[in-house]
Amino acid sequence: MLLYYGENSNTRPVKQIGDMLKDIHDLFNLIKYAYKLLADIVRQLDAVYYFQWNHKLMCDNNICLYDIFLCIGELLMSFLTLDEIVSNQVLFMEHWNAYKQVVIAQLQGNTYSEIDNRKVKVLLNLMNEIENTILSEKIFANAMRIKFVDVKSNIKLCTSIQSCIKMNIAKFENKQLSELTHHKCLQFVKLSALYVLYINIHGMNDKKLFKQVWDCFKKYTFFTMHCNVVWFPDVFFKKHVNINIDNFIDKKCMNSIAGIRDNYILHSHENLHKEVSIYNMYVLSWVIKFDEIIKKDISHMRLGEIKQLVNIVLDGLTLS
C-alpha cells in the first residue's frame, strides 16, 4: 500500500488518498493494537519471571521463551520498517497534505458542499492522529515510550533477554555482510530492535555485549529491507536508545561506520555491471536446467532426479 504508492497511477492525488483512507485507518488501528500487544507480552513475561516457578518452562535456557523474545524483536522490526517506508514516501506526504487542505477548507466553509461538518471534523481529528502515529516516522519511537516501570526491577527477565541476545548475536560475529542471506539480515534487524528495547528498559549494564553489537554494526553498515527501504543500524541505534551513546563510543568510531558504509556502496556501484552479468549467467543457466528437467515425465523419475528438480526449483526461488 504505502510501499508502492504512486506507481503506475494516473488518479488525482486527492482521489488516491481518499481511496486509501480506509486502509490507512486500518493500519492505524493495527499499530495501536500492536502497542497494546507489546505491552501485554512484556508484562506477562515480567509476571512469569517474577514468580520464578520451579518448572522447565520457566528455565532461562528454555527455547520457548527465547522464541518469544525473538517474536518481540519481529514485532519491533515491523515498526521500524513502517517508519522507513514512510520516510521514503515523499509523494504520499505531498498528496496527504493536499487532501488535508481540502478537508480543512471544507471545515472552514471555503467550499460548497452538503457534507455534515461534524463528520468532517471527526475526519480531520482522525487524520491528525494518523499523522502523529504513523506519518511522523515515530512508530518505533512511540513503542519505546511504553511504560515498563515494574519490569525494570526484574533481574531474572533482564538476564534472560540478555542471554538470548548474546546467544544470537554470536552467530553474526564471524560473518561478513556478503555471506548473509536476506533472512539472516532480517534476523539481525530483529536482534537490534530487541536490544534497543532491552536498553530502554534495563539500561546499559553489559558493555561487552554492547561492544559485540557495535562491532557487528561496523560490518553490517546497512540492510535493504524491502525494495528501496534501506536500514542503517548505527543511525537507528543512536536515534532510539535512551542513553548517551557518546559515553560508550567515541565520535571517531561513529563516523568510521558512515565511512565504511559509503565506501561499500561506492565499490558496490563499481562492480554493479559485473554482478549483473554474473546474475544473468546464473539465470540463463537455471533456465536451461529447468527446461531440460521439465521435459521428463515426473512419474518415471528416480529419487535423485526428483531431488535435482526440487533443488532447481529452490534455486529459481532464490534467484527471483
Side-chain angles (χ1 to χ4, degrees):
M1 180 180 68
L2 282 173
L3 188 60
Y4 301 106
Y5 180 82
E7 293 187 8
N8 302 322
S9 177
N10 297 320
T11 312
R12 290 185 300 111
V14 173
K15 178 73 166 57
Q16 284 187 65
I17 297 296
D19 292 341
M20 285 183 64
L21 203 55
K22 182 183 180 301
D23 292 329
I24 297 170
H25 186 212
D26 290 342
L27 178 61
F28 170 68
N29 288 330
L30 183 63
I31 290 170
K32 288 201 299 183
Y33 176 75
Y35 286 155
K36 184 179 182 301
L37 185 65
L38 174 63
D40 288 345
I41 290 173
V42 174
R43 286 171 186 141
Q44 286 172 17
L45 284 169
D46 175 53
V48 166
Y49 279 97
Y50 178 77
F51 287 107
Q52 299 181 17
W53 295 326
N54 187 21
H55 191 278
K56 283 186 177 181
L57 186 62
M58 306 304 142
C59 175
D60 281 348
N61 296 322
N62 190 277
I63 196 66
C64 295
L65 293 177
Y66 278 11
D67 279 352
I68 293 173
F69 298 150
L70 294 177
C71 286
I72 292 173
E74 189 160 3
L75 180 60
L76 294 172
M77 182 179 71
S78 67
F79 293 157
L80 69 90
T81 303
L82 282 169
D83 279 337
E84 295 297 334
I85 290 172
V86 171
S87 69
N88 284 344
Q89 271 298 354
V90 178
L91 180 64
F92 175 83
M93 291 305 302
E94 289 177 0
H95 291 181
W96 176 270
N97 290 330
Y99 185 90
K100 190 175 180 181
Q101 290 304 314
V102 172
V103 174
I104 292 172
Q106 169 64 35
L107 196 60
Q108 293 174 345
N110 296 335
T111 59
Y112 176 75
S113 175
E114 296 180 357
I115 301 174
D116 188 346
N117 271 2
R118 287 175 297 180
K119 293 181 179 179
V120 177
K121 192 172 183 179
V122 170
L123 174 60
L124 184 60
N125 290 336
L126 174 63
M127 291 184 72
N128 288 332
E129 286 186 41
I130 290 172
E131 282 183 9
N132 293 333
T133 303
I134 302 175
L135 305 183
S136 61
E137 302 171 32
K138 292 181 180 178
I139 301 173
F140 187 91
N142 290 336
M144 295 300 103
R145 293 192 183 101
I146 298 173
K147 301 296 182 183
F148 296 113
V149 179
D150 298 333
V151 181
K152 290 182 179 181
S153 59
N154 194 326
I155 304 301
K156 193 170 177 63
L157 175 58
C158 167
T159 305
S160 192
I161 297 176
Q162 190 181 86
S163 299
C164 176
I165 296 170
K166 280 183 178 178
M167 182 182 75
N168 285 280
I169 209 71
K171 300 173 184 177
F172 292 91
E173 285 187 301
N174 298 320
K175 291 186 179 293
Q176 298 300 319
L177 181 59
S178 57
E179 299 176 84
L180 300 183
T181 62
H182 183 65
H183 174 73
K184 286 292 182 184
C185 290
L186 295 183
Q187 193 76 9
F188 183 78
V189 176
K190 294 175 197 175
L191 281 174
S192 301
L194 180 64
Y195 186 46
V196 168
L197 176 67
Y198 168 82
I199 290 176
N200 288 339
I201 294 176
H202 298 289
M204 179 71 73
N205 53 16
D206 190 332
K207 292 184 179 179
K208 186 178 178 182
L209 175 59
F210 174 77
K211 187 178 183 304
Q212 281 180 283
V213 174
W214 196 261
D215 286 343
C216 287
F217 288 171
K218 291 178 184 177
K219 293 188 296 181
Y220 314 140
T221 53
F222 71 96
F223 290 125
T224 302
M225 305 281 286
H226 302 283
C227 300
N228 63 338
V229 179
V230 181
W231 180 71
F232 299 157
D234 57 310
V235 175
F236 163 78
F237 192 81
K238 287 185 285 186
K239 181 179 179 181
H240 291 291
V241 291
N242 59 4
I243 59 170
N244 186 1
I245 200 171
D246 295 335
N247 295 334
F248 301 92
I249 298 291
D250 59 70
K251 198 168 184 179
K252 187 182 290 186
C253 184
M254 291 184 194
N255 293 335
S256 69
I257 293 182
I260 293 168
R261 177 165 50 239
D262 293 342
N263 188 52
Y264 182 87
I265 293 172
L266 179 64
H267 283 84
S268 296
H269 286 173
E270 288 176 354
N271 296 326
L272 187 61
H273 180 73
K274 182 180 177 182
E275 289 177 6
V276 169
S277 299
I278 293 171
Y279 180 76
N280 287 338
M281 290 297 295
Y282 280 142
V283 172
L284 181 60
S285 174
W286 180 85
V287 169
I288 293 170
K289 289 178 184 176
F290 187 73
D291 186 57
E292 286 178 357
I293 203 159
I294 60 171
K295 290 177 181 176
K296 297 180 181 180
D297 186 353
I298 194 169
S299 60
H300 294 92
M301 281 186 179
R302 296 178 180 178
L303 181 60
E305 290 175 316
I306 293 174
K307 287 182 178 178
Q308 185 185 4
L309 174 61
V310 171
N311 289 333
I312 289 173
V313 172
L314 291 174
D315 287 342
L317 290 172
T318 303
L319 288 170
S320 66

